[in-house]
């Protein structure tokens, strides 16, 4: 069985680390190397890394990192944009960059509609009044238990 290519990722889990629920999918295609393991074993691992998968912009693709990854072929970026990366620098090393454009379009549109409706119907204000145990009917505050 052929060895899987190595992929460098920031770290596992936490607030902005690579989500543990996606590790299984990545492991089907790559041998995951997290930054802490990589920087402890740079000499051994640098030539094996063929991909970098960024999550929340980490690991940051600096010139120094790109120079020590001689076989890097691709960078995959979570999210819709690549503004956090120096594309000219990365491409100067012959590395391809991929992202997930349009990934948040539907969710963003849904949230925008929900916020417009909540604003128009005063949903937040109503929830706050109810949380205080009061209701407003025809401009008069009454205990919500009496409704």
């Amino acid at each position: 069985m052929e060895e899987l290519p190595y992929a460098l990722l920031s770290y596992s889990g936490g607030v902005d680390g690579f989500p543990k629920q996606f590790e299984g999918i990545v492991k089907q295609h790559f041998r995951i190397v997290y930054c802490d393991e990589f920087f402890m074993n740079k000499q051994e691992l640098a030539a094996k890394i063929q991909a970098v998968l960024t999550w929340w912009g980490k690991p940051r693709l600096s010139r120094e990192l790109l120079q020590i990854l001689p076989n890097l072929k691709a960078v995959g970026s979570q999210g819709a944009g690549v503004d956090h990366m120096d594309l000219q620098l990365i491409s100067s090393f012959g590395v391809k960059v991929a992202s997930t454009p349009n990934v948040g379009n539907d969710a963003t549109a849904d949230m925008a509609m929900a916020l417009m409706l909540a604003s128009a119907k005063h949903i937040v204000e109503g929830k706050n009044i109810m949380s205080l145990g009061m209701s407003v009917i025809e401009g008069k505050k009454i205990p919500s238990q009496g409704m």
Side-chain angles (χ1 to χ4, degrees):
M1 184 171 160
E2 189 174 325
E3 184 178 32
L4 292 173
Y6 285 49
L8 180 64
L9 285 78
S10 58
Y11 59 92
S12 179
V15 176
D16 57 0
F18 192 79
K20 290 183 182 288
Q21 67 263 30
F22 299 143
E23 286 178 354
I25 297 167
V26 175
K27 286 179 179 179
Q28 292 175 18
H29 305 281
F30 295 98
R31 178 353 189 125
I32 294 177
V33 176
Y34 286 107
C35 282
D36 56 351
E37 177 188 1
F38 175 75
F39 288 112
M40 289 174 51
N41 303 295
K42 266 194 270 191
Q43 296 296 330
E44 176 190 336
L45 295 172
K48 294 180 179 182
I49 302 292
Q50 294 184 26
V52 174
L53 304 178
T54 66
W55 194 265
W56 290 101
K58 296 175 187 136
R60 194 176 76 74
L61 295 158
S62 64
R63 178 176 300 281
E64 295 76 30
L65 180 60
L66 292 166
Q67 286 173 334
I68 63 172
L69 300 174
N71 296 312
L72 183 62
K73 295 178 179 160
V75 172
S77 176
Q78 156 271 342
V82 292
D83 294 350
H84 60 285
M85 289 191 265
D86 185 341
L87 298 179
Q88 188 173 8
L89 172 67
I90 296 167
S91 66
S92 74
F93 284 85
V95 176
K96 305 292 183 199
V97 175
S99 67
T100 53
N102 305 319
V103 72
N105 290 2
D106 289 345
T108 301
D110 291 348
M111 182 59 74
M113 287 302 301
L115 290 171
M116 286 189 286
L117 288 169
S119 177
K121 298 297 183 180
H122 304 284
I123 302 295
V124 175
E125 294 90 338
K127 182 261 180 213
N128 289 340
I129 290 169
M130 295 302 291
S131 295
L132 294 172
M134 300 294 287
S135 293
V136 178
I137 297 177
E138 295 179 10
K140 298 178 185 172
K141 290 184 179 182
I142 59 169
S144 58
Q145 294 83 6
M147 292 183 71

